[in-house]
């Protein structure tokens, strides 16, 4: 489903749901339902130790002023009394309905012919199908009562209810309408969960999984709050009927914190606030534990307070984001302000500050929450659009980068010498493999006669086209030093004077070798480059490491040069740092130790096989092919014959 169609579908569902309660109002049958809450009087037994026989004589009953009463988190037992003079016509109203969903105990007492009380039990403590009338609310049959009736109510959760006299036909009709309406509501939640679950597995974004958890536990909380969870799923479980509301809504708050924190990237934008915000999420989980271990009242109060604190914290975060004009904050802000308004009203209802009524208790929060969840879904859909745009931009950048790599590789490879030096009594193996992103290794040589060779090996910092261009400049700088071929010091210092000021902020490291196969003289100098290695015919290995600063950074540099006599069968190895800085899967570096061991082991290896053997050894050590390395790999191997 395309995002626009998805949005339209959710919008249509929401509008339809909002319209249903209005169109479903019964008009012609209102006479079959009599709200009689105010006909009762009440008394609160704070210690819950008064027997039913003495309630009428001991209790100080007071009138009830509202048709839908709110006692908040009540400690003790609430006793209700209805005198015979206020009994409705039992033929027209044979059922008494206590319209509430989360009461632990609802017992109706009436006297029999022997002046003893008979009790009809209901509430969570009573299994659903052992009640006189199984229903998600609490229903009792009337008609045989002749004297004052008493109703005892106890609840660990906030207590709001109304008392209605009705009949079975009207009750069934109301159940049909409410179940149809709530079926649409929970069906909408189910569609949202399934749709976003599919997207979550496709885009692998944590925000979607957190959002799904938020919607799922919100839906389960609403099922518990409205009595459907106890009626359909756990009809005989007193435990789960009691813990459902605080557990599910606490988990809902936990996932809400994770969702908003991840979606708004609070950890990056407001790290200090994130700690406190995540702490609230941790308290939500702790609140779950309190409920599971029996602290129903405490956990229910905790849900209310956590909702308020989380809302206030997120309110400050959203105000900050709106001031910064961050796009991802817009949808969340609209949804949040709707949620905040609803939660504030709901909290005031629960604490008894605002007078309750059936519409506020049952319809306000579900409708507002569905709109809120839908807006969150819009925010995620907008996130997909942003991710798609970012993906297109990234693909364009990758294409541009690949084009740049090709240009860089072409510049570098075209600038390298087309042939190897041809010097008498000298065998040469040269290998250069630019990294996959194209680096800055290059070499150049000058051989004025069949016996002399000057060869420079350089490494330019950085990668891509800039490194390739500086490589080309380095080759030009070397060309200007051909008259000084026999002096590594003069060549490298001269190259520095040419490149200084022309390659900032990058720089060049270099090593230079001069070899005369007639006089058997080898000179070596380096400018911040790795050492050279001289391996004698006897097998002795000398690491040659004269001092020298990098090229292109300082106006003048001082280069030391080292001179060694060489004889037939002596070998010389120049290399870039890519050889030494080869790492195995455990993070161990090949380094000087690995290279010296390789030279010792392969002392008798023919010159023409050296290049392939070293490459094979490095690939085996790193467990990767050379073409996948992150750095250039260059080495020059010379052997006198």
């Amino acid at each position: 489903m395309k995002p626009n169609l998805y949005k339209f579908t959710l919008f249509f569902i929401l509008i339809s749901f909002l319209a249903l309660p209005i169109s479903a109002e019964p008009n012609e049958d209102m006479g079959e339902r009599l709200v009689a809450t105010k006909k009762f009087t009440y008394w609160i037994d704070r210690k819950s130790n008064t027997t039913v026989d003495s309630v009428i004589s001991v209790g100080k009953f007071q009138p009830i002023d509202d048709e839908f009463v709110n006692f908040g988190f009540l400690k003790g037992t609430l006793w209700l009394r209805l005198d015979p003079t206020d009994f409705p016509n039992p033929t027209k109203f044979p059922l008494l309905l206590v319209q509430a969903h989360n009461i632990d105990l609802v017992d109706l007492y009436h006297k029999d012919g022997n002046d003893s009380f008979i009790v009809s039990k209901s509430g969570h403590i009573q299994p659903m199908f052992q009640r006189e009338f199984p229903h998600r609310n609490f229903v009792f049959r009337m008609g045989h009562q002749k004297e004052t009736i008493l109703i005892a109510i106890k609840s660990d959760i906030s207590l709001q209810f109304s008392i209605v006299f009705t009949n079975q036909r009207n009750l069934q009709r109301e159940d049909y309408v409410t179940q149809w309406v709530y079926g649409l509501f929970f069906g909408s939640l189910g569609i949202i969960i399934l749709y976003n679950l599919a997207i979550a597995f496709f885009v692998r974004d944590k925000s979607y999984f957190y959002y799904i958890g938020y919607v799922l536990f919100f839906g389960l909380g609403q099922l518990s709050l409205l009595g459907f969870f106890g009626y359909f799923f756990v009809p005989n479980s007193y435990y789960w009927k009691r813990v459902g509301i605080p557990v599910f809504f606490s988990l809902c708050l936990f996932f809400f914190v994770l969702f908003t924190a991840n979606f708004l990237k609070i950890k990056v934008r407001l790290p200090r606030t994130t700690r406190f915000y995540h702490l609230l999420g941790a308290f939500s989980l702790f609140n779950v534990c309190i409920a599971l271990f029996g602290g129903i009242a405490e956990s229910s109060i905790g849900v209310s307070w956590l909702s308020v604190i989380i809302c206030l914290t997120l309110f400050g975060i959203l105000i900050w984001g709106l001031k910064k004009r961050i796009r991802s904050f817009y949808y969340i802000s609209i949804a949040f302000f709707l949620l905040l308004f609803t939660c504030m009203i709901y909290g005031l209802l629960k604490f008894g500050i605002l007078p309750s009524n059936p519409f506020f208790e049952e319809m306000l929060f579900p409708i507002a929450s569905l709109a809120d969840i839908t807006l969150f879904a819009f925010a995620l859909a907008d996130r997909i659009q942003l991710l798609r745009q970012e993906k297109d931009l990234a693909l364009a950048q990758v294409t541009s980068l690949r084009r740049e790599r090709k240009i860089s590789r072409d510049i570098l490879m075209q600038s390298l010498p087309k042939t190897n030096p041809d010097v008498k009594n000298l065998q040469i193996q040269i290998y250069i493999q630019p990294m996959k992103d194209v680096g800055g290794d290059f070499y150049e040589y000058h051989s004025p006669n069949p016996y002399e060779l000057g060869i420079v090996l350089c490494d330019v910092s950085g990668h891509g086209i800039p490194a390739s261009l500086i490589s080309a400049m380095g080759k030009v700088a070397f060309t200007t030093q051909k008259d000084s071929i026999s002096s590594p010091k003069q060549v490298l210092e001269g190259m520095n004077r040419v490149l200084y000021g022309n390659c900032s902020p990058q720089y060049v490291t270099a090593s230079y070798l001069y070899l005369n196969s007639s006089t058997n003289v080898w000179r070596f100098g380096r400018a911040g480059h790795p050492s050279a290695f001289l391996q004698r015919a006897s097998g002795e290995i000398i690491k040659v490491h004269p001092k020298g600063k990098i090229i292109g950074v300082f106006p003048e540099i001082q280069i030391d040069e080292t001179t060694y006599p060489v004889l037939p069968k002596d070998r010389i190895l120049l290399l870039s740092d890519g050889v030494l800085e080869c790492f195995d899967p455990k993070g161990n570096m090949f380094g000087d130790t690995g290279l010296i061991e390789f030279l010792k082991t392969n002392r008798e290896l023919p010159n023409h096989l050296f290049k392939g053997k070293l490459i094979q050894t490095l690939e085996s050590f790193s467990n990767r092919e050379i073409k996948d390395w992150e750095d250039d790999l260059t080495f020059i191997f010379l052997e006198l014959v």
Side-chain angles (χ1 to χ4, degrees), residues 128-129 134-136 179 227-235 241:
M128 184 64 65
F129 297 106
H135 194 269
R136 70 186 181 99
Q179 290 179 23
F228 293 111
F229 184 75
Y231 184 80
F232 289 108
F233 298 101
V234 288
K241 288 175 189 173

Side-chain angles (χ1 to χ4, degrees), residues 174-314:
E174 290 181 355
D175 285 347
Y176 174 80
V177 172
T178 56
Q179 290 179 23
W180 199 92
V181 170
Y182 284 119
L184 180 59
F185 170 69
F186 290 112
S188 301
L189 295 184
I191 292 172
I192 291 172
I193 290 173
L194 292 175
Y195 179 83
N196 285 281
L197 186 62
I199 296 177
F201 282 107
F202 178 73
V203 301
R204 301 292 179 179
D205 189 331
K206 290 182 181 179
S207 295
Y208 281 92
F209 293 104
Y210 295 151
Y211 172 74
I212 291 166
Y214 161 62
V215 177
L216 173 63
F217 286 108
F218 169 79
L220 291 173
Q222 282 296 314
L223 282 172
S224 296
L225 187 66
L226 298 170
F228 293 111
F229 184 75
Y231 184 80
F232 289 108
F233 298 101
V234 288
N236 299 317
S237 175
Y238 171 54
Y239 177 79
W240 281 107
K241 288 175 189 173
R242 297 182 75 235
V243 304
I245 290 178
V247 165
F248 293 142
F249 278 118
S250 293
L251 288 172
C252 173
L253 290 175
F254 171 71
F255 280 102
F256 178 77
V257 167
L258 293 181
F259 164 64
T260 51
N262 187 267
F263 184 85
L264 299 175
K265 299 179 181 179
I266 300 175
K267 185 175 182 180
V268 176
R269 291 166 173 156
L270 297 166
R272 292 184 179 178
T273 305
T274 302
R275 297 189 189 98
F276 177 71
Y277 197 53
H278 282 170
L279 185 62
L280 294 176
F283 277 131
S284 298
L285 287 181
F286 180 68
N287 204 52
V288 171
C289 298
I290 293 175
L292 292 176
F293 286 98
I296 306 300
E298 293 78 6
S299 181
S300 300
I301 295 173
V303 169
S304 299
W305 280 112
L306 280 170
S307 299
V308 172
I309 298 172
I310 288 172
C311 285
L312 291 175
T313 305
L314 186 57

Side-chain angles (χ1 to χ4, degrees), residues 18-127:
L18 289 172
L20 274 172
I22 299 174
S23 61
E25 285 184 358
N27 294 317
E28 69 281 0
D29 293 324
M30 286 298 288
E32 298 183 8
R33 189 177 199 274
L34 175 64
V35 181
T37 312
K38 292 198 292 186
K39 294 183 179 294
F40 283 78
T41 54
Y42 78 94
W43 173 64
I44 300 174
D45 180 9
R46 299 291 180 183
K47 297 183 179 180
S48 298
N49 58 0
T50 306
T51 63
V52 63
D53 295 313
S54 58
V55 165
I56 296 178
S57 59
V58 173
K60 298 178 180 180
F61 285 86
Q62 305 175 40
I64 296 176
D65 298 325
D66 299 312
E67 296 290 4
F68 193 84
V69 291
N70 185 350
F71 287 95
F73 292 94
L74 179 67
K75 295 293 185 180
T77 301
L78 175 69
W79 287 94
L80 302 176
R81 185 178 74 177
L82 182 65
D83 294 329
T85 55
D86 294 317
F87 287 0
N89 184 345
T91 303
K92 190 174 183 179
F93 303 108
L95 299 178
L96 183 150
L97 168 67
V98 179
Q99 191 169 349
H101 313 298
N102 298 284
I103 301 178
D104 295 331
L105 179 146
V106 186
D107 291 348
L108 185 144
Y109 295 90
H110 63 92
K111 288 188 176 181
D112 60 6
N114 297 322
D115 206 31
S116 299
F117 280 100
I118 298 175
V119 60
S120 297
K121 292 183 174 294
S122 190
H124 287 334
I125 198 170
Q126 191 75 3

